[in-house]
Every structure is written in C-alpha cells, then in structure tokens.
Amino acid sequence: MAKREHFGSGAAAVMAMAGSAIGLGNIWRFPYMVGQNGGAAFIIIYLLAAFLLSLPILLCESIIGRSTHAGTFGAMEQLAPGTRWKWLGLMTVISPLIILSFYSVVGGWSIEYLIKASGSGFGEDVSSLFGEFIIKPWAPLLCHTLFLLLTVAVVSAGVKSGIERFNRISLPVLFVLIVVIMVYSLTLPGSAAGVRYLLEPDFSKITPSVVASAMGQSFFSLSLGVGTILTYSSYMKKEENLFTSGLGTAAFDLLFALLAGFAIMPAVFATGVEPGAGPGLIFETLPYIFSHMSAASPWLSRTVSVLFFLTIVIAALTSSISMCEVGVAYLVEERGMSRRKASLLVFAATWTLGAFCSLSFGPLSGVKLLGNTIFDFCDRLTSDYLMTFGSLLFVLFVGWKMKRETVRDEFTGGGTLRANGRAFGFVYFLIRYVAPLVILTIFVTNLVA
Ligand code: TRP
C-alpha cells in the first residue's frame, strides 16, 4: 500500500478539523438557540458544554486516531483486535455516509440559491420560493449531484493536495466573508435589536432541557461521534499537540457561530421579521430580507446575498469533505482500493441515498419510516442516536478500555508537553466519569422524548 499521508502541520490539521466543525449547524441553529434560550446566559452554558464535555470527546477521537494512524475501522482492529469494538469501527464508517447523503441535499439547495442570488436575484415574491423549489424532482437532484461531485473531487485528490489544500484556503475565506456580512448587517438601521436578542442575559431561561440542548448542539457542531475527527487526527504527526489542536478547533467553531449570529440576527431584526431556526432561516427568511433590502440598494443587497450563499456553500463543503473522507479512508485502507475508486463508490452510495432524501420532499413525501420522511429519518437517526451513541462508545473506549499510560503518552507527547501533563488528570477524569454519564443522559432523553 502507498505510504499513509499526513497533514503538513498542526495548523493544517486544525483548519481541517475546524472546517469539518463549521457548517450549517453554526449558521442555522446556533444563533437562534442563543436568542431563544437566554442570550448571554446561554452562551455561558454553551461555553461550559463545549469545553468540558465536547472537547474531551473530541480528544478521545483524536487520541484513538493519532495513536493508531488508522481510520475508524482500522483503529479498532489495532487497539482491540478480535473484539466487538469492531462494530464501533463499522458504525462510524456508516454514520458519516448517512449524514453526507442528506447534508449534500441541503448543500445542493445552497448551490441553487447561490446561482439564483448571482443571477436574477430573489424577485418580489419570495415567500413560496423555497417550498416550491424543494418539491420539484429534478432541480434539487441536480444540485445535490453537483454538491456531491465537488465534495468527492476534493477527497479523491488526496489528504494533502485535496483536503488540506481546500481547507487551508476555505477557512480564512469563510472568516473574511462572515465578518464582511456582519459589518454590513450591524450598520443597518434597527440592527441593535438583533444584538440585544443575542446578548441580553436571561438566566431564568436556563432549564435542564436548555442545558441538554446546549450540549447536543455543541457536539453536533463539533462533528463528534461519527469518526470524522478520529480520521482527521490519524493524519496528524506524532509531534503535533492534540490538546492545543482540539482547543483551537473548538475555539474556531465557537467564534464562527458567534460571528454568524451577529451577521444574521441584526439583519433579521432590522427587517422586522421573526427569527427562526433550520432551513427556513436561510432559505426563506434571508431571501426575504435580501429582496426587502434591494429596494433601498439593489447592488448592495445583491452582493451581500451572493456572499452569504457563497459562505454557506463553502462551509457545507468543508464539512461534507470530512464525512466523505471517513468512508474513503476505510475503503482504501481496509479494502485495498485506490483513492479514486473508493471516492467513486462513496459517491455512488451517498448519491443514491441522498436522491431518496431529496425526493422525500416531493414525489416520495408519502413514504414514511417510523413516522418520518426519508430525509427526517436519516437526520434524526444520525443526530439523535448515532452521534450520541458513537460519542459514548468513544469515551468509554478511551476511558476504560485503552491503557491509561497509552492515553497519557498520546496526550502529553510522550511526556514532553508539560502543560498537557498538568492538565491530564482533569481531562482524564472528564473522559472517564463525567462525559459518559452526561452523554448517557442525553442519549436516554432522546430515546424517550
Ligand atoms: N458540524 C457540522 C455543522 O455544524 C455538522 C456535522 C454533524 C458534521 N456531524 C458531522 C460534519 C460529522 C461532519 C461530520 O454543520
């Protein structure tokens, strides 16, 4: 087999992981959750959730990946050969591919909107635009195909010349774009109400269920539990510092979510519409805002809307690339395929499932799986169950199955990283006791709710 590739530097690894983490979750859910659940009070809870719960989980994936230099399946085979842990390896090969299938449908919608924004604009009557678009059979399918082709093209170019290069360019571009949009949004008359929506602290809104959803959001946002961080970490060299890379990833992810909040909510309030979450926010509310603004300044509104949908397409791509890589790494390393062939196979599989997801808004809307449409079923299966279950198994594996010395060695660079050595006791405690209990609670809540 060809020599295994590595990311060129620690910074490259952080950019790739942050690229995976920064995605639709930061743009269409975080800002709304903050506003709804107590503003600055929620941000504090989210910070605690991100750094005390999600970061330890992320580190578990990193430790498994980097200590074995193998993908999810291969890592389990190396660390626990001949045991049932191989099912964890297999599950985490399949979960990201299910996510990729429906994520690519949404990525496709963003491409369609980017094309619309840069072409004729959104016109006068935007209220029915989205509803009419997604029920069509062909156009969304075509966009899904295009989005997936872009994803696969980057992955098939390799870890260094594909994934690393794409993220190294995209991540700075994403930050510049979102800051430009934010500056514009904050200068709109009436935008202060949006800032208040995000920042005014209201501690009375912090209930156990809000805390649970902050935790759920933080690990969705960091792409945990499905082996993407594991796989990316397996491309890190031994001398890189896992702890600071993880911290950097979590910090970038949080920063981008906050910037997205300040880019979106002030514009929402300046236009006087109701904020919401999910696809409705970016595909209905925002086009309304853009068309509303175009009366005042058509040129500016057109430019901002193009930049905005460009941001979404790029953010979605850097995430979808990481999902695709998990499957490709498995096929290349465990099934001996060439990268090109593996990419084609992943394309074929996720295109097919994604096509069903896409059609489930229109012609296949009557097909229900346990009461959900195909799209919703894939979304809930992964977000509510597979991601939490995967996270639980990863922390149990590192906390209870792997030897403490191995974990410590990996975390402290064989004892050379002093600061990590001092943090280890606390982090290990979080991994062993706190994380499993909390994740189990969330998992059971999802099961009964
Ligand atoms: N973190 C991504 C976002 O915020 C979504 C996501 C969830 C994801 N699970 C993932 C991305 C697994 C890559 C891999 O939009």
Side-chain angles (χ1 to χ4, degrees), residues 23-39:
L24 297 166
N26 305 55
I27 299 171
W28 82 16
R29 253 178 76 201
F30 182 81
Y32 174 77
M33 286 183 89
V34 171
Q36 278 290 295
N37 297 318

Side-chain angles (χ1 to χ4, degrees), residues 290-309:
F290 294 133
S291 77
H292 188 84
M293 292 182 323
S294 85
S297 164
W299 179 84
L300 201 57
S301 126
R302 168 76 56 91
T303 309
V304 176
S305 70
V306 171
L307 295 183
F308 187 78
F309 285 104

Side-chain angles (χ1 to χ4, degrees), residues 20-26 99 103 220-224 226 228 253 319 322-323 387:
S20 168
I22 293 171
L24 297 166
N26 305 55
I99 306 181
Y103 207 82
F220 180 81
S221 193
L222 282 173
S223 314
L224 299 175
V226 293
T228 42
D253 184 55
S319 298
S322 72
M323 306 172 202
M387 293 183 75

Side-chain angles (χ1 to χ4, degrees), residues 195-247:
V195 176
R196 272 201 300 281
Y197 178 77
L198 288 171
L199 286 185
E200 214 147 50
D202 180 356
F203 285 93
S204 70
K205 293 247 176 77
I206 306 297
T207 60
S209 87
V210 166
V211 175
S213 55
M215 295 192 285
Q217 168 68 10
S218 89
F219 63 70
F220 180 81
S221 193
L222 282 173
S223 314
L224 299 175
V226 293
T228 42
I229 298 293
L230 190 161
T231 306
Y232 273 1
S233 300
S234 77
Y235 300 128
M236 283 169 79
K237 295 184 193 141
K238 279 286 179 228
E239 60 268 24
E240 287 346 326
N241 186 336
L242 289 185
F243 190 35
T244 47
S245 308
L247 272 171

